[in-house]
């Protein structure tokens, strides 16, 4: 069982991103044979290249893409990625696409191929706040989820993949109460990784 877990660099007004900070914590607990982690650029047109390379070379059985969403107070398992780029702010290269398709003439949307209801149950059992979300937005997170699912389908690869949005970390909650301890975020992702390792 090989799992690829990706996080994102900081973007817009955020100086830290929990999806990046959690990666070394996961690496400490899981053998390198089973886990590869990567930090992705928050750039629409550059985000997929490193993932494609990792899918081709590392040959994961599972791809977990992680990112942060300030509006979330729970670990959010995304159900669907849509074929839309529509940014309210610029990406880290200054691009701000509006109403554009991610890939012309491809499917309108792809569903997560992760067992999201099962994963939701696992986290609930561990008292970790979790939800299934029906929109990954239209910024770079939705973009990478769409690209990865589209590529896996096109290449007919039997790989489970999806996206998980994380709340802000407790010490960066900008005065809202929508945040979670990084330790608990790590615990939640570890539960999912352990589930996949046990399944194999
Ligand atoms: N969150 C952004 C992009 C990078 C990240 O961590 C998003 O939700 O699209």
């Amino acid at each position: 069982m090989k799992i690829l877990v990706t996080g994102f660099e900081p973007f817009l007004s955020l100086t830290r991103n929990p999806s990046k900070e959690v990666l070394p914590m996961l690496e400490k607990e899981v053998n390198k044979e089973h886990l590869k982690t990567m930090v992705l650029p928050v750039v629409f047109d550059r985000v997929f290249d490193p993932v494609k390379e990792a899918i081709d070379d590392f040959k994961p059985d599972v791809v977990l893409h992680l990112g942060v969403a300030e509006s979330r107070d729970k670990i959010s398992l995304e159900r669907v990625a849509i074929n839309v780029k529509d940014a309210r702010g610029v990406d880290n290269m200054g691009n701000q696409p509006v109403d554009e398709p991610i890939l012309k003439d491809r499917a309108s949307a792809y569903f997560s191929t992760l067992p999201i209801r099962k994963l939701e149950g696992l986290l609930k059992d561990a008292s970790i706040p979790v939800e299934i979300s029906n929109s990954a937005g239209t910024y770079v997170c939705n973009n990478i989820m769409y690209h990865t699912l589209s590529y896996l389908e096109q290449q007919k690869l039997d790989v489970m993949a999806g996206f998980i949005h994380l709340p802000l970390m407790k010490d960066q909650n900008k005065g809202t109460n929508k945040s979670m301890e990084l330790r608990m975020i790590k615990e939640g992702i570890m539960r999912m990784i352990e589930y996949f390792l046990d399944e194999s």
Side-chain angles (χ1 to χ4, degrees), residues 65 67-82 109-121 123-124 129-138 141-142 145 149 161-167 192:
H65 290 305
V68 68
E70 289 186 36
S71 57
R72 309 294 168 85
D73 58 0
K74 301 183 179 73
I75 293 182
S76 301
L77 306 164
E78 298 297 346
R79 191 194 299 272
V80 62
I82 60 175
Y110 286 101
F111 287 115
S112 174
T113 52
L114 299 174
I116 52 175
R117 194 62 70 185
K118 176 83 204 169
L119 298 176
E120 181 198 35
L123 268 62
K124 279 195 170 155
V130 61
E131 66 187 355
I132 289 176
S133 157
N134 294 314
S135 173
T138 51
C141 291
N142 172 73
M145 180 176 173
L149 289 166
F163 197 94
I164 299 161
H165 264 121
L166 310 172
M192 299 185 218

Side-chain angles (χ1 to χ4, degrees), residues 150-168:
S150 162
Y151 183 69
L152 293 173
E153 190 197 70
Q154 222 171 9
Q155 300 293 312
K156 299 191 170 34
L157 294 172
D158 187 16
V159 177
M160 286 182 273
F163 197 94
I164 299 161
H165 264 121
L166 310 172
L168 292 170

